[in-house]
Each structure stands twice: as C-alpha cells, then as structure tokens.
Amino acid sequence: MSKTIQLIQINPEELVGLIYESVQSLINDFVKLLPNANQKELLTPSEVCELLQIDNSTLWRWTQKGKVKSYGIGGRKYYKKSELLSAMIPLNENLVAKSNYFNIVA
C-alpha cells in the first residue's frame, strides 16, 4: 500500500512558498527553545557602555590595556558579550575597603 499525494490547483512556485513558510516556522520555533538564543552575542561599543554602565573613555582604556577584547570587521568594532561577562571578577569587599584605606593614607 503506497501513499500518493495529489496537488490540485497549485503551481510549483506556490508549493515552494508553502514549504519555505512551514520550514521557516519550524526553525523559528526551534530557535526559541535554544538557551541564550534571544541574547545578542556581538555588541557595539555604545551597547557595551550601556550594559556595563561605563563611559566610552573607560571602554577604550580597558580595550587598550587588554582587559576586554574587541573584534572588527569593515571598520566597525564589536565586543563579545560572553567575554565581557567572563572578564568580570568577584571582588572581596574587605580587600577593596583596605586598599581604599591605604590609598587615602598614602
């Protein structure tokens, strides 16, 4: 017993369009299920400054010192969000308070 599909009153272009729409819908549904799919990985310098709540000059200085890494293409500069977040280090509040004390005293 074989299955036969008959297409009546549809031209090849319409069939291709229907298939494309169905596949695109399935892909969109699948992407929504992926972790971090809705997060933007590449950020512009202004987006980085907004994310980290810093000034452009701070971002430039961090880039020059190698604290954060920038990427470029076509004269544009980008930063990877995952690298920015991994560059952040936990601070020991007691150590920070002591270092501020010694900076003031010295």
Side-chain angles (χ1 to χ4, degrees), residues 42-74:
L42 293 178
L43 302 174
T44 64
S46 60
E47 291 172 329
V48 172
C49 290
E50 184 178 329
L51 173 70
L52 299 178
Q53 299 178 356
I54 59 173
D55 190 59
N56 285 333
S57 61
T58 302
L59 180 60
W60 181 86
R61 190 173 59 253
W62 288 355
T63 305
Q64 296 301 311
K65 289 183 176 183
K67 291 184 178 188
V68 294
K69 188 173 182 179
S70 64
Y71 299 87
I73 186 168

Side-chain angles (χ1 to χ4, degrees), residues 7-18:
L7 302 173
I8 301 172
Q9 295 182 343
I10 188 168
N11 62 37
E13 291 81 19
E14 291 174 331
L15 178 60
V16 169
L18 290 172

Side-chain angles (χ1 to χ4, degrees), residues 4 8 17-18 20 25 31 47 63 66 74 82-83 89 96 98 101:
T4 305
I8 301 172
L18 290 172
Y20 176 81
S25 174
V31 167
E47 291 172 329
T63 305
S82 59
E83 289 181 1
I89 57 172
V96 172
K98 288 178 184 177
Y101 171 77

